[in-house]
Amino acid sequence: MKLIKILLLFVVFQISAQQGGMWIPSLLEGMNEQEMLNLGSNLSANDIYDINNSSLKDAIVHFNGGCTSEIISDSGLLLTNHHCGYGAIQSHSSVEHDYLQDGFWAQQINDELPNKGMVATLIIRIDDVTQEILQNIPSSLSPKDKLKMIDQNMAKVKAKAEKDDWQETRVKSMYDGNQYLLFVTETFKDIRLVGAPPTSIGKFGSDTDNWMWPRHTGDFSLFRIYADKNNRPATYNEANVPYQPKHFLPVSLDGVTENDFTLVFGFPGRTSEYLPAVAIDQLMHNINPPKIEIREEALKIVDQYMREDDKIKIQYASKYARIANYWKKWIGENQGLEKSNAVAKKKAFEAQFQEKVKDNKDYANLLSEFDKLYADIDNVAVARAYWSEIVYRNIEILNAAVRLFQFERQLIKNPEKFEEARKKLLDSYKGFYKNYNADVDRDVFEKLMQLYKDKSPANYLTSSVKDGNVKDLSKMVYEESKLSSLEGMETLLQGSKEEVIQKINSDKGYAFGKELVDNYYEQINPKFNEINLQINAVQKIYMKALVETFPDERFFPDANGTLRVTYGKVKGYNPRDAVYYEPVSYLEGVMEKYKPGDYEFDVPKKLQELYNNKDYGVYGIDGKMPVNFIGTNHTTGGNSGSPVIDADGNLIGLNFDRVWEGTMSDYNYDPEICRNIMVDARYILFIIDKFAGSQRLIDEMKLVHPKKK
Ligand code: ARG
Ligand code: ASP
């Protein structure tokens, strides 16, 4: 990978509209630094990442594993999305004080609410350890044995890494295993809820507006990192104090205009930008369509029940949102891949590649190997998609059976842990059945089982599904089994270890679930893994070949949950012929969408008043209140809550979504139509100050006017 670095360094880089890429913060010097300057930034690579001095990276925090957040005061005030804090906000809510509906604002520091199990992680240092990881691995080894050795080397590198006692280490593979980086991290464990707007602001537009522009959502919430008296990570303790960061982001009051430089700094989860055409083709035509169809059928049924029954509406709101989120994303993704001719473009590129490598014996067969392997994996990959969407995700009772299966397996392995495991399982079932309705689930079961039977590859179906009748199966699972209620489950789990094993195994519903889970672990998964391992091995060589063959191209490592920098400009786009989308939305648009009493588009009275009086304080501009804006930053899931930073290192926005036409960016980033969606920092300040009246929070931030130098 030294090679990659050197190649990147010597590329004579031309400024163009071409952006995209998620770059490693410790490797920005050279090409990225120059490109950022060309885009209008005043930041040096060292301003962004520096291990000797404080830098922007010291304010960027991985939020509870999945999202990003950033520190915006010298007292550890943490900003992230409302949808990232959603679970925590919900967990503090009850009928008496519903913080989802009404919002929550800690009046004083003592009112800030601890969250059990919540963590926030800072990156202390990133080291390139490729040499240590890849040295002495014979190329003759099988892919499996290579991975084993790599794991051993990783453990060694982690063990001897320089760090303080309270810090952790992780090694992550980049460029499909061509580069390895060591991350030294610090994980804080006392994270308290500070503030959240009501859902009618924080989730305004809900599923209808999700993945869409124009957008009008105040998708933010506030937390605070607490540390022990030495400013180090500690589990919750009343005596803990606000964390004093090495760096925090000042908040700009000057806002954005089209073409302004933007930098998004966060923890993108996963992209696959270097797949061969054959893989994209398979995704578009064989994998995404069944997943979309399955979720569509399930959502239709749940939606019907939710409309007719308020209790079901509450029970299923969060589950519905989760299922709908990726359902909608895949539809947009497929449309985008189709419209941008992603497969044809990749094929044209591959023809060029093939021409260049035709005499290189290591690379000449890569594409044909891909063709063969993707053909081999197709059947089992489709079966796996059906299984995970139907058995694991959308038929809830089968998901309950999966958990029971895992419990039983554990029991056989560690019988002495029976009591502990049973308690854990029962606890998890309590949460599960609280939001469970067997009538809803039974309808979903009947619909999806029929689909499974009719459409999933027959060679991976179990005999009950293949030969059985769906009505009979559902009668068995919902009437002749104890799985459909918490009480039933509790009776199954009562008694001694032997009794429990005997009882669950004579339950017909569990027997059916177990047959399906067994089928996955015995048939589907091993076959899939066997071929996938080979695909990964070819992908690793292909990645190396790409970099060597196209020295003038830019290659960033696919997202893998590690800290990345992406940058671009504030910019509108043409979603279709003759239509242009402006890059900034305003409070006017909130009022245009307002539907009194609607669960997605209601607007709080107070916000309407502020709008009617144009009472925007210092946050509005020309009598208008900006709400959201879009830009050309290349982001993905996990970037939610990432700070949007201006040319001088100040916070101007909060990333939370992407536009419909560009959700394909995970496979094919196209600067023409891929846009990320951000909340304008001024809207956040306006809601905290004017809407919530939480002056104490405004006071602890550092508000700046970078454009009025
Ligand atoms: N689409 C965004 C993301 O993938 C936001 C999801 C949360 N909002 C929602 N309406 N479900 O996370
Ligand atoms: N909404 C996503 C997230 O939660 C961001 C995205 O996929 O663009 O991370």
Side-chain angles (χ1 to χ4, degrees), residues 249-267:
L249 301 177
V251 186
S252 165
L253 282 167
D254 290 349
V256 294
T257 40
E258 188 147 22
N259 290 318
D260 277 359
F261 173 79
T262 53
L263 182 150
V264 175
F265 207 171
F267 294 87

Side-chain angles (χ1 to χ4, degrees), residues 469-480:
N469 162 297
V470 168
K471 285 275 178 207
D472 294 343
L473 287 173
S474 91
K475 185 156 181 284
M476 180 176 87
V477 169
Y478 293 88
E479 291 175 32
E480 297 160 18

Side-chain angles (χ1 to χ4, degrees), residues 35 64 86 90 98 111 132 173 199 235 242 320 337 365 369 377 420 424 426 430 459 499 527 545 655:
E35 188 185 26
N64 218 17
Y86 198 85
Q90 182 180 40
D98 186 343
D111 300 332
E132 289 99 306
S173 142
T199 313
T235 49
Y320 186 92
L337 290 169
N365 294 324
E369 280 174 46
I377 206 171
E420 193 188 320
K424 241 176 101 184
L426 277 169
K430 273 183 197 130
N459 54 330
E499 281 165 342
K527 184 73 193 169
N655 184 71

Side-chain angles (χ1 to χ4, degrees), residues 49 51-52 123-129 132 154-171 182-186:
Y49 175 93
I51 48 167
N52 301 312
I123 305 297
I124 305 300
R125 196 176 83 234
I126 307 173
D127 293 342
D128 192 323
V129 292
E132 289 99 306
M154 279 190 187
K156 273 187 225 154
V157 166
K158 278 164 62 175
K160 70 172 226 302
E162 221 177 284
K163 67 167 192 73
D164 287 312
D165 297 345
W166 62 89
Q167 298 174 334
E168 308 98 25
T169 52
R170 268 179 96 185
V171 176
L182 168 79
F183 294 81
V184 177
T185 60
E186 225 164 76

Side-chain angles (χ1 to χ4, degrees), residues 430-449:
K430 273 183 197 130
F432 176 88
Y433 286 103
K434 186 170 152 251
N435 290 331
Y436 179 77
N437 180 299
D439 295 331
V440 179
D441 195 38
R442 185 171 181 163
D443 282 3
V444 172
F445 179 101
E446 290 181 5
K447 190 81 205 177
L448 297 192
M449 255 318 136

Side-chain angles (χ1 to χ4, degrees), residues 280-286 288-289 292 329-346 660-665 667-668 670 673:
I280 301 294
D281 197 310
Q282 182 172 79
L283 177 85
M284 285 170 70
H285 299 109
N286 302 357
N288 277 349
I292 293 167
K329 195 230 177 200
W330 292 325
I331 296 176
E333 183 172 285
N334 256 23
Q335 286 178 6
L337 290 169
E338 195 80 59
K339 197 173 163 190
S340 65
N341 291 316
V343 172
K345 267 201 257 167
K346 287 239 178 206
W660 177 248
E661 296 80 6
T663 56
M664 63 163 177
S665 64
Y667 301 96
N668 178 40
D670 181 343
I673 54 167

Side-chain angles (χ1 to χ4, degrees), residues 99-127:
Y99 298 146
L100 284 173
Q101 182 173 308
D102 306 327
F104 168 78
W105 304 96
Q107 292 305 314
Q108 316 158 34
I109 194 129
N110 290 336
D111 300 332
E112 299 178 359
L113 300 171
N115 299 287
K116 216 174 159 221
M118 182 178 271
V119 294
T121 304
L122 275 165
I123 305 297
I124 305 300
R125 196 176 83 234
I126 307 173
D127 293 342

Side-chain angles (χ1 to χ4, degrees), residues 66-67 81 83-84 210-211 325-326 329 635-641 655-658:
C67 283
N81 288 142
H83 79 261
C84 297
N210 192 19
W211 301 110
N325 191 30
Y326 266 67
K329 195 230 177 200
T635 55
T636 188
N639 269 124
S640 273
N655 184 71
F656 72 103
D657 207 1
R658 280 172 282 167

